[in-house]
Amino acid sequence: MDLRIKLDQERNAYIQKYKRTPNIIFVSNNFYSELNTMVDNQNLYNAAPKHLWGADVIIVLTPNYIKFAEASDVRKAAQSFHNDKSWDSYRVSKTHTTIGRVGSGVPTPSEVIELEPIEFSREEIEVYIMQN
């Protein structure tokens, strides 16, 4: 399957699941040459706005791996990593907030919905920290 299709599928799945637009892509190093071709051999930083939805690309060693995330979540996981480096993965809870409104005279209260937590591997966090 084409890498662009895989990226589109993973990004759409993330948006559907978390109702947010991701700004980080973790990609396996074995996809690097295909990714490089996809962005017309540009530097990934320069190619991101046009080809990669403005998301930062972080190359990891895990084979055949694509994962989208938000920088704020990775930073939270990195803080947990700084506090205790003994874990293999770090979970970050996620929520979605709806704003209350009044329609037809009937108020709808604001609501905070707990979403599935997102988990980051030790490798993802270490590479993220090295690049930032």
Side-chain angles (χ1 to χ4, degrees):
M1 182 185 292
D2 181 80
L3 181 60
R4 176 56 139 191
I5 294 169
K6 289 179 191 176
L7 288 169
D8 278 332
Q9 288 175 345
E10 290 295 324
R11 182 175 184 270
N12 290 335
Y14 182 92
I15 292 170
Q16 185 175 0
K17 185 176 191 176
Y18 294 116
K19 314 293 187 243
R20 294 187 180 109
T21 303
N23 54 6
I24 293 199
I25 309 170
F26 292 98
V27 179
S28 175
N29 65 345
N30 64 313
F31 290 137
Y32 185 79
S33 63
E34 192 175 347
L35 183 64
N36 196 34
T37 301
M38 188 179 93
V39 299
D40 300 325
N41 296 318
Q42 293 181 49
N43 172 302
L44 290 177
Y45 179 79
N46 294 331
K50 181 178 178 185
H51 297 281
L52 302 168
W53 310 280
D56 294 331
V57 177
I58 298 178
I59 305 296
V60 295
L61 297 176
T62 306
N64 302 319
Y65 191 76
I66 296 172
K67 179 179 181 179
F68 283 84
E70 293 173 76
S72 60
D73 293 332
V74 183
R75 283 192 300 271
K76 288 176 190 174
Q79 185 59 47
S80 295
F81 175 77
H82 282 299
N83 294 339
D84 185 351
K85 295 181 181 174
S86 67
W87 303 341
D88 290 330
S89 66
Y90 298 82
R91 296 183 104 185
V92 174
S93 62
K94 295 192 64 80
T95 59
H96 177 70
T97 304
T98 61
I99 305 299
R101 63 181 192 275
V102 176
S104 302
V106 179
T108 304
S110 296
E111 186 178 16
V112 177
I113 302 164
E114 290 290 325
L115 301 172
E116 181 181 330
I118 188 165
E119 194 164 335
F120 298 96
S121 69
R122 180 183 191 92
E123 176 193 16
E124 290 170 328
I125 295 169
E126 288 174 338
V127 175
Y128 174 81
I129 290 170
M130 283 189 290
Q131 290 188 358
N132 288 301

